Amino acid sequence: MHRKVPVQTTINGEPVEFLCEPRQSLLECLRDVIGLTGTKEGCNDGNCGACTVLMDGRIVNSCLVLGVEAQGAQITTVEGIARGNQLHPVQQAFLQNAALQCGFCTPGFIVAAKALLDQEPAPSEERIRLWLANNLCRCTGYDKIVRAVEQAAQELREVKA
Amino acid sequence: MSMATTVTKAETLVGRRLRRKEDPRLITGTATYVDDIQMPGMHYAAILRSPHAAARIRSLNVQPALDHPGVAAVFTGADVAGVGPVPCGASLPGLRVPAHSVLARDRVYFVGHPVAVVVATDRYVAADALDLIEVEYQPLPAVANPEKALEPGAPAVHPEWPDNLAFTYHQEGGEPDRAFAEADVVVRQRIISQRLIPTAMETRGVVADYRGAEKSLTIYSSTQIPHLMRSLVAQMLGLAENRLRVITPEVGGGFGSKLNVYAEEALMGFVAMKIGKPVKWIESRRENFQCTIHGRGHVDYYEIAARKDGAVLGLRLKLIQDLGAYHQLLTPAIPTLSVLMMPGLYKFRNVSADILGVFTNCVPTDAYRGAGRPEATHGVERMMDLLAAELRMDPAELRLLNFIGADEFPYATATGLSYDSGNYAEPLKKALDLVDYHRLREQQQQAKASGRLVGIGISTYGEICAFGPSPATPAGGWESATVKIEPSGAVTVMTGASPHGQGEETTFAQIAADELGVPIEDVIVVHGDTAIVQYGIGTFGSRGTAVGGPAVYYALQDLKAKILKFGELLLESSDVTFSGGVCTCNRTGKTVTLAQIAAASYRAMKLPPNTEPGLVATHFWEPPNFAFPFGAHIVVSEVDPETGQVEIKRYVAVDDCGKIINPLLVDGQVHGGVVQGLGQALFEQAVYDQDGQLVTGELMDYAVPKATMVPWIESDHTTTPSPVNPLGVKGVGEAGTIGCSPAVVNSVVDALGHLGVRHLDMPLTPEKLWKLIQAGGQA
C-alpha cells in the first residue's frame, strides 16, 4: 500500500480536495475516490476514449493521467456539461438525434464534442469525424453522433449570432 | 427546435420518431452500470489467467499472495470443486461436452483460461497479489486453426478426443446429388468468415453480495439474460432459485457476448458467500478480448449448381466451425443457424450441409451479432456473385430471377423453415433505384477505363429472428410482460426482455401509451431485476421488440378488458367503449377516466362480477414462428491502387423489418449493424498465432471502426408486416450486420474483377489488396 498524497483541484467549477495513491489514474480518482462515476473505463489504455475529460481546456484520456497531475488543474467531466437542469446544446442534440444506444461511450463523446465546439464553431463533417476518432462507439455506427455534433454546432452559432 | 414528445391522444405514437426515454440519464453521466456500484465493505477480485494455450499445471502456490497485506482470500480450482460446470445450453446428437469448471484444475486449454482468483480490499492490491502466485506450467502443443486441428496427428485440445471433433451434423433437403448431376454449371468456393471480437464498449463485470442471515445472494451482472442467468447460476452454486437475485443495471453493449453465463458470475457468487463481503470483478479490456466469447470462425466450402439461364438448382456446404476449447452457452448451436439460412432468399429446393464442429486452443466462439446468419448470408451472396460472373449475368438480374415470389408465402424452405412473409424484389428494386443502377454501371465503366478501381456490390439478405418458438430454442422462446396501472393511473410495464441499448423503454412505452390512451410520460418500462420482473428470456437474436413487444401488447389487451368491466360498473351501463384513456357510455355520453377506474379498482368498494381488485395483467407470449426480415444493401467502393485502401463511396441499405414502431431507433440499429458488418468486411480479425497466443489482444491491435473509417449510411425501408405477431414487427437488431459484409466484398471483387480476381476473404485490409494489385490479381 502506498502513502496517499493530497491533491487540490477544481472539478466542474467546484474546488475539490482528495487523497490518492501516486499510482492512481485520474479516472480512478474521479470514479472511486470522488464518486463521479459518469466518466467510464472502456480499456484503461488510452484506446477507446470513454474516459475523456477536459483538463485545463484540453481533452485527455483520464486513464492516462495520474490523479496527482490534477493538482491545480481545472477538470470538467460529463457531470459538469449541463448547467443545472439546462442541458448543453451537445446533449440536446444527442437527445434529439438518439445519437446513442447503450450509452457507455456517450460521456466521452459529449465531453469531446463540447471541447471541439468550444474551439471551432463550424467544423466540417471531416473535422468532426477526425476529432472524434479518439472515441470508440460500437452501437451507433457514428452516423447520428456526427449529425448531432453538426446540429449542436449550428445551434451554438445561432445562439451566438 | 424542440421535438414534442406529447401528442394529442387521437394520434398514435407507434410509428413516430420519438426521442428515447433512456437518454436523459445516459447523456448526463447519471446512469448506473455495474462498475458504478459501490457497497460498504466491498472487496475486489482479480483473476490469474493462463499465459499458455495448452499446458499442464504442475504446481500452484498461492501462499505468497495470501500473505500480501490487504488480501482476504485466494481460491483455486481445488477450492471450487463444488461449483457446477459452466453451462452449455445447446444440444446436438452425439455432442461432446468437455468438463468446464469455473477455474482450471490440472490443465489449461486457452490463453486467458482462469486459474485462480484473488480477493482483496482494493483493486490495486488484488492485481499486485496476482503476480505473487507461483504457477509452474508444463507447456503442451496447441492448435489454434480449425483446419489444422482436423489434420491427422494434430495436437488434441482435449486428450480424450484426439480427432478434435466436438460434433458432426448433417442436414439436407430435396435431392442435392441429382440437382448437381443435372446442373449446367457448378461453381465452388472456399469462403472464410473470420473470428471476430465482439468488443462491447463496457467489458463484462459482476458484483456479488451475500447476506448470510437471509441466505440470499444478489448478483449484479452486465448481461443480456438476467432470468436465465439466475436459473443457471443458482444451479452452479447449489442455491434455491428464490435465494438468488440477478440485477442487470445499465448494460454497455452486448452484441451476443453477454448472452451467456460465464465462469465469473458463479465464481463471484462463490467468493461473496465464502468471505461474507460484497465483491466486485470488472473485466479488463485484455481479459475481454481473451476470455469473452468471439464470433464467427468459419471455413466454408460452398458449391452452387445452376442452369445455363441462371436458375439455381442446388447448394452444398461443408462448414468447419472453430468452436474454441469449450462450449459456452450456445457455442455448438450457432453454425446450425447458418445451415438453416443457407438458401437465403432464393428458391434452392435441393441443399446439403455438413458441419464439422472443431475444438481449438482458443476462447470459445458463440453468438455475436447475427450469430450464424452473417456467415450464411456471406456465403450464399458470394456464391450468387460467383455464379453471375460465371454466367456473365448481371448480379441484380440473377437475384431477381431466383427470388422466392411474393405470392409464395408462407414459404417452406429446403432447410425446414417457414418464411413468414416477404417481397424480396421490392427492397432490391428500391435500392437499385436509389443508386440509379444502370447509370452507375456506365459511370463505373468510364472510371475503370481511366484506371480507377471502382466496384458495385449487391447483397440481398434474409434472416431468421424473433427467437423463437419454444420447441426450436434451447430455453423457452417466449417472452413475458406485466402491465400495472397504479391507483393514480400511472402505468408501469415490466418486460422479461432485458434491453441494453436497443430502446425498448421507449418502444414499449409507445405501445402501452397507444393502447391505454395515456401520455407516454405516464408510462415507465422496468426490466432487468429478477426480484421485480416476472420470469423472462432476454434480449438477443432480434427478439426484444418482436417477441417482447407482443407480450406487452397482449397484457394490455387483458388489462383493457378489465378496464372496460370497471367502466361498465362505474357508468352503470353495458354499452361502454374504452378509448383515449376514457370509458364512455355510448347511450348517455357520460365518461370515467382511467385514473378514476384505477382508483376504484384498488378501492374495491364494488367489483364487477368475477373480477379481482386492482389493474395488473401478466402475459407470457409464445410465438408461433420465427420472423424473417430481409433487405438489399448496395455498396459502391473504390480501391486506391497505390495503397490498397478501400473507400466506401456509397452505402445504401433498404431493409424490411416489418412494421416500424420508432423509425429513429430503427435507423440507429441499421447504422450500428452495418458498421459492425463493415468492421468484419474491412478491418477486424481475431488473430491467434500458431501457438495459440492472441495477437490482437487489445484495441491497439484489433481495428474496431472509428468515425473516420465509415461512411454515411443511406437507410430506407419497405414494409411487409409479419403475420407471426399482432404488431406486424420482425426485428432489426442484426439486419445491418447480416446484409453488409457480402455487399462490401462483392463490390471490391467487382472493382478488381478485370485483374482476374473472383474471390477475396475478409478483412479486406490495404495490405492484402495492395499485394494483390501489385501481383496483377494473382493471390
Side-chain angles (χ1 to χ4, degrees), chain A residues 117-118 121 155-161:
Chain A
L117 301 185
D118 283 349
E155 177 97 337
L156 280 162
R157 289 197 301 274
E158 282 165 11
V159 170
K160 280 193 185 137

Coordinates of all heavy atoms in Angstrom, one line a residue, chain A residues 117-118 121 155-161:
Chain A
L117 N -16.4 22.1 -30.1 CA -17.3 23.3 -30.4 C -16.9 24.5 -29.6 O -17.1 25.6 -30.0 CB -18.7 22.9 -30.2 CG -19.2 21.8 -31.1 CD1 -20.7 21.6 -30.9 CD2 -18.9 21.9 -32.5
D118 N -16.2 24.3 -28.5 CA -15.7 25.4 -27.7 C -14.6 26.1 -28.6 O -14.4 27.4 -28.5 CB -15.0 25.0 -26.4 CG -16.1 24.7 -25.3 OD1 -17.3 25.0 -25.6 OD2 -15.7 24.1 -24.3
P121 N -16.3 26.9 -34.1 CA -17.8 27.0 -34.2 C -18.4 26.3 -35.4 O -19.5 25.9 -35.4 CB -18.0 28.5 -34.2 CG -16.7 29.1 -34.6 CD -15.6 28.1 -34.2
E155 N -26.6 25.1 -33.7 CA -27.4 25.7 -32.6 C -26.6 26.7 -31.9 O -27.0 27.8 -31.6 CB -27.8 24.5 -31.7 CG -28.5 24.9 -30.4 CD -30.0 24.7 -30.6 OE1 -30.5 24.7 -31.8 OE2 -30.7 24.6 -29.6
L156 N -25.3 26.4 -31.6 CA -24.5 27.3 -30.8 C -24.2 28.5 -31.6 O -24.1 29.6 -31.1 CB -23.1 26.6 -30.5 CG -23.2 25.6 -29.2 CD1 -22.1 24.7 -29.2 CD2 -23.3 26.4 -28.0
R157 N -24.0 28.4 -33.0 CA -23.8 29.5 -33.8 C -25.0 30.4 -33.8 O -24.9 31.7 -33.7 CB -23.5 29.1 -35.2 CG -22.1 28.5 -35.4 CD -21.6 28.4 -36.9 NE -22.5 27.7 -37.7 CZ -22.5 26.4 -38.0 NH1 -21.6 25.6 -37.3 NH2 -23.3 25.8 -38.8
E158 N -26.2 29.8 -33.8 CA -27.4 30.6 -33.8 C -27.6 31.4 -32.5 O -28.0 32.5 -32.5 CB -28.6 29.7 -34.1 CG -28.8 29.4 -35.6 CD -29.8 28.2 -35.8 OE1 -30.5 27.8 -34.9 OE2 -29.8 27.7 -37.0
V159 N -27.2 30.7 -31.4 CA -27.3 31.4 -30.1 C -26.4 32.6 -30.0 O -26.8 33.6 -29.5 CB -27.0 30.4 -29.0 CG1 -26.8 31.1 -27.6 CG2 -28.0 29.3 -28.9
K160 N -25.2 32.4 -30.6 CA -24.2 33.5 -30.6 C -24.6 34.6 -31.5 O -24.3 35.8 -31.2 CB -22.8 33.0 -30.9 CG -22.2 32.3 -29.7 CD -20.7 32.0 -29.9 CE -20.1 31.2 -28.8 NZ -19.2 30.1 -29.2
A161 N -25.2 34.3 -32.6 CA -25.5 35.3 -33.7 C -26.5 36.3 -33.2 O -27.3 36.0 -32.3 CB -26.0 34.6 -34.9

